[in-house]
Every structure is written in C-alpha cells, then in structure tokens.
Amino acid sequence: MVILSMPAVNEQFSSSIIKNCKSPSSFFPCIPLIDLSKPDTKNQLVKACEEFGFFKVVNHGVPMEFITKLESEAIKFFSSPLIQKEKAGPPDPFGYGSKKIGPNGDVGWVEYILLSTNPDFNYQKFASILGVNPQDIRDAVNDYVSEMKKMACEILEMLAEGLKIHPRNVFSKLLMDEQSDSLFRLNHYPPCPPDQEFNGRNLIGFGEHTDPQIISLLRSNNTSGLQISIVDGHWISVPPDQNSFFINVGDSLQVMTNGRFKSVKHRFLANSVKSRLSMIYFGGPPLSEKIGPLASLLMKGEQDSLYKEFTWFEYKKSAYKSRLADNRLVLFQKLV
Ligand SMILES: C=C1C[C@]23C[C@@]1(O)CC[C@H]2[C@@]12CC[C@H](O)[C@@](C)(C(=O)O1)[C@H]2[C@@H]3C(=O)O
Ligand SMILES: O=C(O)CCC(=O)C(=O)O
Ligand SMILES: [Fe+2]
C-alpha cells in the first residue's frame, strides 16, 4: 500500500477570522455551532457559510435509531472479509473501494462504499455480499438518507431566506428533484499501523479536497482527525461529536452564491488508536441543471459574475478528471 504522510498540524493562524475568534481553547477554534431547534438561525447560518463554509449542527431532530441502525449495518459490512467486500467493488463510480479514491491515482488509509441516492439506483450489485438479509442495510441507508435530504433542504431554505432570495426553495428544489444527483458515502478508517504515525506525522485517511456538490452532511463516531482549512496552509481540527452533524458548503453552492459562500477544503488524518466511521450525504443537482451565480445575488448583473455558467454534468465530468486536491473551480472562473 502507498503510505502518504503529512507534517503534524501546527495550529498557528494568521487569518483575522480565526484571530478574532473568542474560543476557550486555541486548539479547537470556533467551529460555528447552529442549534436547529431555535426559531431564527438563518443569519447565523449565512455567516457560517460566508466565513467558514462549515458548521456544526445540534438539535437536528434526526432519530438516533436511524443513525445507530445504519452505523451497526456499516460496521457489519466493513468487518466482513476483504474478499467478500471486494465483490461490491470496484467503485465505478459506485460500490466498495479500498485505499484508492477516485479514478486518478489518489490514495488514502480508508475503505468505503459509495452509493447514489437516486430511487432507481440498483442495489443488486451489493446484495450478494450484504449478509443474510441485504434488505437490512438497504433500508437503513434509505431511512437515513431521507432524513439527510430533509435536513439539507431545511438548511438550504434557511440560507435562501437569510440571503433574502426568492423563492426560498431555490437551492432545496435541486435536491428535491427526482433526478437530483446526490450521493451517499460510508467511510471506514481502520487504525493505521503505529509506525506510520510516529514523529508527529499523520497518515492521510482522506486527502484535502472540496466537495463538488451543493452541500454535504457528515456524521461520524467519536474519532478525531477531521480538519478544515479556511486559510491556505492552516488547518483547524474539528473535535468529533457523534451526536451532531457537520455541514459543509460544496463548490456548486459557492458558484450559485457568486463566491459569497465558501466551499471549504477539508481532510481526514488517520490515527493508530481508534477507527473512524463516517457517513456523508452529498446533496447535488440534476445532471442537466445549469449552475451559475443567482441573478438576485449579482449587483450589476452578468458583469459581476465570477463564474461561467455550466451544467452539473459538465462540472462532474471535469471533476472526475481531476485529482482530489485540485482546485476544480478555476476552470470555470471568469478571467478578470
Ligand atoms: C479524486 C476524486 C474522488 C472524487 C472524484 C475525484 O475525481 C474528485 C472529487 C472527489 C470527490 C470528493 C467528494 C466526494 O467524496 C466524492 C464522492 C465526490 O463527489 O467528489 C469524491 C469523488 C470520489 O470519491 O469518487
Ligand atoms: O470521512 C470523512 O470524515 C471525510 C470524508 C470526505 O470528506 C468525503 O468523503 O468527501
Ligand atoms: Fe469531502
């Protein structure tokens, strides 16, 4: 296996956002926290998407039983023999993958299942390896994904209101569309060999990248290692919290808001002690959807637009030709 390592993260920040942050702990500076049970969080949400492109959500209302059911099905799956798991691979793009991420040579200390959330997506491929009753994991994924879609739409509608855009479903309708090209991913990071972690260097579980879609909703067990970068070269560790969700803005939402919201760079560093299981819903538009800055967010019309218009199909095609760490949006930026 190819082992990648990175210098230990030294959390020294130069950004004014981070310096001004009144965090009790300088090691975990100020990840914005949103309480979804509070009536009016739209302005906080907008601020979090502008400054970080990332926030933590509590009081989300997702039934714990859906989370634990899926978690236990996923653990069952990842605990099965490799030869059995490999029957569900390779991910082309859907299925089981191990160590290889995407089609262009990226690797990480991770195994995963990548699924489409499209209702007609064929789970047949996995059925043979999903144990005595493949229906169990399928049902668990479906229940969980419908909760994620609901939460993602709720957040996107509050964001539209916070931005004073009409109608309020301008973003959420893309996820609600029957043809929405949304994905679901289960990532399992086994503890890495201890000799790969020594000397203050960490093994890359999932290398730095931005998510191409509109919005991503992540839930993990209590294993640390997730980091975000809002200033190039500086990483903020995100303390894990199995009872909360971590939300990030994707490239498409950055474009639709003409750069007002930031598609946040993130990565996961593995450790030798504890395995991590993460579940991520990536809310994406239909393939034919035109993505471009919303007219109501442009001051002087077209000339303000930072991006060329593209369809989600075009963006995806280009993304799948890129390496994980590439800036996929530069190809779609207008020259100034
Ligand atoms: C290296 C790659 C993996 C990825 C497709 C890509 O060519 C570039 C984007 C990657 C990413 C990041 C977010 C999601 O995990 C993902 C499923 C996605 O939509 O874009 C992955 C892709 C993947 O693992 O196939
Ligand atoms: O597994 C994680 O914690 C992060 C993975 C991720 O960012 C992704 O799958 O896009
Ligand atoms: Fe990601």
Side-chain angles (χ1 to χ4, degrees), residues 91 93-94 100-107 112 114-115 181 183-185 187 206-213 216 248 251 266 280 282 312 316-326 328:
F94 304 124
K100 292 184 184 155
I101 302 172
N104 305 313
D106 289 285
V107 290
Y112 58 90
L114 195 50
L115 302 170
D181 181 34
L183 305 180
F184 181 63
R185 176 170 207 140
N187 287 333
F206 206 112
E208 65 178 79
H209 66 283
T210 60
D211 293 346
Q213 291 82 2
S216 312
N248 66 263
D251 297 344
H266 53 287
I280 309 127
F282 303 94
W312 171 239
K316 226 182 135 173
K317 202 165 97 189
S318 154
Y320 274 82
K321 286 187 193 143
S322 68
R323 296 291 299 260
L324 199 52
D326 288 349
R328 283 171 273 284

Side-chain angles (χ1 to χ4, degrees), residues 16 29 34 56 63 79 81 90 120 145 164 170 218-220 308 317:
S16 60
I34 309 287
K56 170 172 162 171
S79 313
D120 55 18
V145 164
K164 302 189 172 54
V170 66
L218 178 149
R219 186 267 173 191
S220 77
K308 304 170 200 161
K317 202 165 97 189

Side-chain angles (χ1 to χ4, degrees), residues 40 109 193 244 266 336:
D40 200 8
W109 188 258
S244 304
H266 53 287
V336 277

